[in-house]
Amino acid sequence: MTVLLTTGSTRYLTTADVAERYRTAASTVRYWRHIGYGPKGIKVGRRVLYSMTEIERFEKALAAKSERGAA
């Protein structure tokens, strides 16, 4: 996992890192961004970076949705 940028206590991951985390292709993560799904990224030059805070928020939302669907 490549941590491209750190500011204070916030770490940022690349698209490839996010894809690896979710065991999917980078193109899938790019598609999610295109349709408005998944963790919100920020553009830094030509790169899109994802904060760990945003990734954790997305995962909590997925877990909550999964729990509601299972009940």
Side-chain angles (χ1 to χ4, degrees), residues 18 21 25 29 32 42 54 61-64:
V18 174
R21 182 181 184 98
V29 177
W32 288 349
I42 57 169
E54 177 59 24
L62 281 179

Side-chain angles (χ1 to χ4, degrees), residues 9-13 18 21-22 29 32-33 36-42 48-62:
S9 62
T10 304
R11 295 175 31 186
Y12 293 88
L13 302 178
V18 174
R21 182 181 184 98
Y22 295 118
V29 177
W32 288 349
R33 180 170 165 78
Y37 178 77
K40 306 298 180 221
I42 57 169
V48 177
L49 300 178
Y50 300 86
S51 73
M52 285 302 297
T53 305
E54 177 59 24
I55 289 172
E56 290 166 358
R57 183 212 55 84
F58 173 66
E59 290 173 352
K60 285 179 186 174
L62 281 179

Side-chain angles (χ1 to χ4, degrees), residues 17-39:
D17 294 331
V18 174
E20 182 180 321
R21 182 181 184 98
Y22 295 118
R23 296 183 182 150
T24 191
S27 60
T28 300
V29 177
R30 288 191 295 273
Y31 177 70
W32 288 349
R33 180 170 165 78
H34 174 74
I35 65 170
Y37 178 77

